[in-house]
Amino acid sequence: MMAIFRFLWNNAALILIAAAFAWAAGTVWTRAARSIEGENEIVLRVCHWQLETGYRDAINELGKDFSDDYFKRTGKRVTIIQDAIPETVYGQFVSTNLIGGTAPDLISVGLGLSNVIWREYLNRYFVPLTSDINRPNPFNVGTKLEGVPFKQTFVDGGRSSYNEELQNYMTVPTSVHAIRLFYNVDLLEKLTGLRTPPKEWNAFLAMSEKIGSQKKADGTQYTPLASSKYHFGVWASTVADPLTWTLLKKADFNRDGYVSSEETFAAIKSGRLKFDDPAIRARYAIITQLTPSFPEGWTGKQRDEAVFLFAQQRAVFIPTGTWDARSLQQQAIDADGKQIFEVGIIDFPSPTSTDPVYGPFALGPKYDRPLPWGGFGITRTCKHPDVAFEFLQYISSLKGNEKFNEIVGWIPVVEGAAIPESLRSFKPTLRGMYGNFAPFVGGETSVRFEQLSDVFIAGRISFDEMVKQYTPAYLTMGEKDYTLAKRDWKRGSLGSEQFLVTMRESLKTVPAERQREMLWRYASLTARRQLFPTVDRAYQVKLIADSGKGSGEGSVQLPAPYELSAAARSRAKENLRKSLAFESK
Amino acid sequence: MWNRFAPVLACCLTVVACLTGCDKSEPLSVSQHLDLGWEKLRVGNIDSSRLHFETAVTTASSNQERAKAKFALATSLSLPQITPDVERARKLLGEAIVLDADPGTETAPWAALLLARLGDLRDIDPDAVDILVNPDARDKYREVMTRWPSHPAAQEARAYLVTSLVAARTPDEATEAIRLVDEFVPVNQNSPWSATLLGLESRALRTLGRSEDRLATEIQSLELARKIDAVGTTEYAGNIWGIGIIAEFEVGDLAAARKYYNLLITEYPADQRVFNAEQALKRIDALEATLKQEIALENTAKETRP
C-alpha cells in the first residue's frame, strides 16, 4: 500500500499530465467519432462565438427541423455539431483551423481578427455565395417571399453579406441588432405614475426632471438616464446627430447624399457653412438638455458602471442593443428566479416638426442602420457545401428565421418575419434622418475638437465660445490635416494597385465559364478603387482650392448643392408647359 | 565501454541529424515559385514574394517564363510601400517586354501597362499632393493600346488614359476623353470596361457643362453595367441616386428624377438615401406646383393682353 502511495506521490506530475492527455484525447476522439458520417448521414460542423444557451438551442432546433425536411427529400439525415468558442480565443481558433485545413463547415464571420485578415480568409478559405444568393430561397415557397432572390429577402437587401473588395456575397446573416432605450417599468411608474414613457422630446425631458428630483430612502437621488462616456456616444448618435441631416443642403457638394469631412472643410472655408449653423446649434442644444439627466461624474464612468446603476434600480433608463436584452432582463430577476422589476423597451425620444427649437431640423424619424449578425460563411473544406448552403437557406427562410429568432430572442433578419412581441420596438426604422456633421478633417482637428467638446459638455464654456475657439483652429489645422489626408490617399492608391494586380493574376486560374463574371468584378473593383476616386479627388481638390478664394473680385462662389440651376429650372418649366398643353388638347 | 562507443554514437547522431535536416522534397518549379510569390504578395508578405520571384527569374528556362518572372518581380519591387526599388522594376519590365515580344504574347502588354501605371503612381512628387495624374504617362497608355489592341491590357490602359484626361478637368482633355470612350463603347458593348468608361465620360461631360448628354450617359452606363453584371454582384444604389440628382438639378428633367428616386426606394429600401429620395419627391411636387402657378399666371397675362 505504502509502495503504491509512494509511486503515486513520486509520479504525481506525470500522472496528472497523462490524465489531462487522456481526457483531451478522449474529447477529440469522441468529437471526431461524432463527425464521422454514417451511410445515410451528413454531418455539418458549425462554429460561432455565441455561448448563450438560447443561441445554441436555436441552432440545434433548426438543425433538427432541417434534418427532418432533408430526410423526407433525400432519405439522409443531417447532424449539426456546434463549436461554440469563447470570444477571447475565437480568432485563434478560426485561424488555426482554416490554415490547418480542419475548419468547420460553417463559420460565423467577423470576430477576433482584423477586417483585413477576415477579408483574406474569406478570399482564400470560403466559398463565394454570389450565384446562389441571387436565386430565390426554395424554403420560401408558399410564402410572400416566394420567387424573391435570396439576398433581397434580408432587411438590408443583403448588403452585409457582400464584400466590396472581393466583389462577392460571402455570408448569410441570421439576425439583426438595433439600439434602443431600456427602462425599469416599475420604477418609472413609482416615480412618475407612467408605465410607458412619452416619445416626444419635451415631455420626455419633463419626465426626466421629475425622476431626477426624487430621492431614495437612503437620501441618494434617482438618476433618470444611466450613462457613461460610452453611452454618451449612443445618445449623441441617436438623439443629437440626426438633427444635422439638413447640412446636406449646404455641404454635400458632390451630392452623393453624405457630407464628408473634406466637404465640410470646403464649406467652412468658403463661408457657405459656419459651425454655429442652426442645425449644429440644435445638435448641441439637445445634448445640453440631455446631460443633466446623467449620473454625476458620468464622463469618468465605465460602461459597466452604468449597467450596474440600472441593475441596482438607481437609474430608470439605459440605452443599449438587442444583444444586451436578455442579460438586462436577467438582471431584473433575483437568485430565486423572482422578477424584481419589469424591463420595458422603447425607441429613443425625438422632437417633433412642431417643436419651436428643433422643429426645422426634425423632418422625420432617425435612420436605424440595420446591424445584421451571425453571418455564416461556408468553408472550402466543407464536404457538402450544397447542404451547408441549404441549411443557411433554411435558417434564413421566412418561417425558419422567425423560429430561430424566437428561440434566441433576437430580431429576424428576413423581411416580413414576425418579430417577438418583446422586441417589436427594436424593428429598425429604415427611412429616416442621419447625421451629416463631420466636424474634423484629420488627427489635429480631431484632438482639438474633442478637447473643446469635453469642456463644453462639462459646462465650462458656452456653445458660442466653443465655436469661436474652434473655427480658427479648424481652419489652420484643417489645412495640415487635409494635406496629410491627400498624402495618405496617394499611398493608399499604391496599395490598391498592388491588390488589383494580384487579383488580376489570380483570374488566370479561374475556370473558363466564370472568366466573364470575374473580369467584370475586376473591372468594377478597379473603377471603384482607382479610376473614379482619381477623378472625384481631382474635383475635390478644385473644390477646396475654390473655397479658399474668399469674397471680392475673382472669388469663386461655391454652388449650393441642392439648388436647381437656372437652366434646369427653365427646362423643367418648359417640359411642364408642354405636358400641360398636351393634356389640355 | 562508454568511452569507446561515445564517439561512434555522436557520429551516428550527427549523420541522422544531417539527414533529417536535409530537404528531401523536390525543388519547386518556376510556375510553382510564381504562384507562391503571387500568393505571398496578395497577403502582403513582400520579402517572401520577392524571394520566390527572384528564384523564378534565375531558374526560368524559356523566354516566356523569364518574362513572367520578371514582370512578377517588378510588381513586387514597385508597388509595395516597403523598400521599393522602382528603377530596378522599370528595368525588369523593359526586359520582360523584349523577352516576350511575340504576337499573341501574354506578359508584355501587362508589363507595358505597369510601366505606364508607375508613371502615375511613382513619378509624381509625393509632396505635390494636389497632382493626381501625370500627363507624361498618357503616351505609355496609348502605346499599350496601339501595340496590343486586342489584348485585355489595352482596354484597361484606355480606362486609365481616360481617367487621366478627365481628372485634368480642362475642356480639351475632356473632349479627348469623350472621343476615346465613344470610339470604344459602341463596338465593345460586352467589354467589362464599357460601363466604367461611360461613367468616366459622364464626368468629362460635367466639365463641358453638357448636362443632358451627361444624364443620358449615366443612364446608358447603368443599363450596360446591369446587362453585363448578370449575376448581380455590384450594388447600384449610388448610381441610381446620382441619376436622379443629375436629372433634377442639372437637367430639370423632373420625370426622370422621379423615376430614379422611386427606383432607389423600391430596389434598395434599406439604403440611407431612401429618406433623401422621399424628400426629393416632395420637393419635386412642390416645385411643380410653383411652376404650374407661374405658367397659369403667364397664360392669364397672355390672354388678358390686348
Side-chain angles (χ1 to χ4, degrees), chain A residues 258-300:
Chain A
Y258 307 101
V259 177
S260 67
S261 52
E262 288 92 350
E263 284 174 321
T264 305
F265 188 50
I268 297 281
K269 263 183 86 176
S270 67
R272 182 163 282 290
L273 176 70
K274 289 191 165 59
F275 279 123
D276 63 354
D277 184 272
I280 301 172
R281 191 179 282 276
R283 177 187 189 272
Y284 282 93
I286 214 162
I287 286 173
T288 317
Q289 288 186 313
L290 190 65
T291 49
S293 298
F294 289 178
E296 208 172 310
W298 63 270
T299 47

Side-chain angles (χ1 to χ4, degrees), chain A residues 15-162:
Chain A
I15 290 165
L16 202 66
I17 291 168
F21 177 78
W23 176 77
T27 308
V28 170
W29 184 79
T30 37
R31 288 189 75 82
R34 280 172 69 205
S35 299
I36 295 168
E37 292 174 354
E39 197 180 331
N40 287 317
E41 188 193 18
I42 288 169
V43 175
L44 290 179
R45 269 177 67 207
V46 180
C47 164
H48 57 80
W49 65 85
Q50 308 299 336
L51 301 186
E52 300 89 342
T53 39
Y55 193 88
R56 281 181 284 171
D57 291 346
I59 295 264
N60 282 339
E61 190 68 26
L62 271 284
K64 244 187 271 167
D65 292 353
F66 173 67
S67 180
D68 292 344
D69 182 274
Y70 195 78
F71 181 75
K72 274 184 209 156
R73 288 183 283 124
T74 64
K76 286 188 176 182
R77 288 259 165 222
V78 179
T79 304
I80 304 288
I81 298 174
Q82 294 189 61
D83 290 332
I85 310 297
E87 288 185 21
T88 44
V89 292
Y90 192 73
Q92 291 93 315
F93 178 86
V94 168
S95 294
T96 316
N97 281 284
L98 285 174
I99 293 165
T102 55
D105 303 291
L106 291 157
I107 291 182
S108 187
V109 171
L111 186 90
L113 299 164
S114 72
N115 287 343
V116 180
I117 302 277
W118 270 119
R119 186 187 74 198
E120 285 308 325
Y121 283 178
L122 284 170
N123 190 27
R124 214 184 305 177
Y125 301 118
F126 286 78
V127 181
L129 307 175
T130 303
S131 47
D132 295 316
I133 211 166
N134 276 295
R135 284 197 283 270
N137 182 347
F139 297 108
N140 281 335
V141 170
T143 72
K144 59 189 171 188
L145 295 177
E146 180 174 346
V148 178
F150 190 25
K151 68 174 183 185
Q152 280 171 16
T153 63
F154 301 123
V155 287
D156 69 340
R159 193 171 289 190
S160 66
S161 308
Y162 187 67

Side-chain angles (χ1 to χ4, degrees), chain A residues 517-579:
Chain A
E517 176 198 332
M518 295 306 290
L519 274 173
W520 161 258
R521 278 186 205 159
Y522 168 70
S524 172
L525 204 56
T526 305
R528 282 170 193 242
R529 289 184 72 150
Q530 293 293 66
L531 307 178
F532 292 138
T534 303
V535 175
D536 296 342
R537 280 264 156 187
Y539 277 96
Q540 193 190 81
V541 166
K542 183 177 184 306
L543 178 80
I544 305 263
D546 287 350
S547 68
K549 289 185 180 165
S551 55
E553 204 178 329
S555 69
V556 178
Q557 185 63 44
L558 293 187
Y562 288 85
E563 273 176 25
L564 258 74
S565 66
R569 193 178 194 280
S570 79
R571 217 170 289 143
K573 193 169 175 181
E574 201 46 45
N575 288 344
L576 193 62
R577 198 190 303 276
K578 279 181 197 160
S579 80

Side-chain angles (χ1 to χ4, degrees), chain A residues 489-505:
Chain A
W489 182 80
K490 279 191 160 186
R491 286 199 200 109
S493 71
L494 268 173
S496 290
E497 190 83 10
Q498 186 183 318
F499 173 76
L500 289 165
V501 175
T502 54
M503 179 183 178
R504 192 175 66 209
E505 276 302 312

Side-chain angles (χ1 to χ4, degrees), chain A residues 218-283:
Chain A
D218 62 3
T220 53
Q221 265 179 320
Y222 281 106
T223 301
L225 316 173
S227 198
S228 62
K229 189 100 179 165
Y230 163 83
H231 290 97
F232 173 74
V234 178
W235 280 106
S237 65
T238 49
V239 174
D241 286 346
L243 296 174
T244 62
W245 179 81
T246 54
L247 295 182
L248 277 177
K249 293 172 188 170
K250 292 182 180 168
D252 180 21
F253 294 109
N254 66 6
R255 296 189 291 221
D256 64 350
Y258 307 101
V259 177
S260 67
S261 52
E262 288 92 350
E263 284 174 321
T264 305
F265 188 50
I268 297 281
K269 263 183 86 176
S270 67
R272 182 163 282 290
L273 176 70
K274 289 191 165 59
F275 279 123
D276 63 354
D277 184 272
I280 301 172
R281 191 179 282 276
R283 177 187 189 272

Side-chain angles (χ1 to χ4, degrees), chain B residues 40-74:
Chain B
K40 301 280 180 196
L41 188 60
R42 194 143 55 98
V43 295
N45 195 341
I46 312 295
D47 289 340
S48 184
S49 78
R50 283 177 189 167
L51 275 177
H52 281 291
F53 292 148
E54 292 274 14
T55 313
V57 168
T58 50
T59 54
S61 54
S62 70
N63 276 355
Q64 256 191 343
E65 252 184 8
R66 206 165 292 124
K68 276 185 189 173
K70 289 192 175 198
F71 167 68
L73 182 58

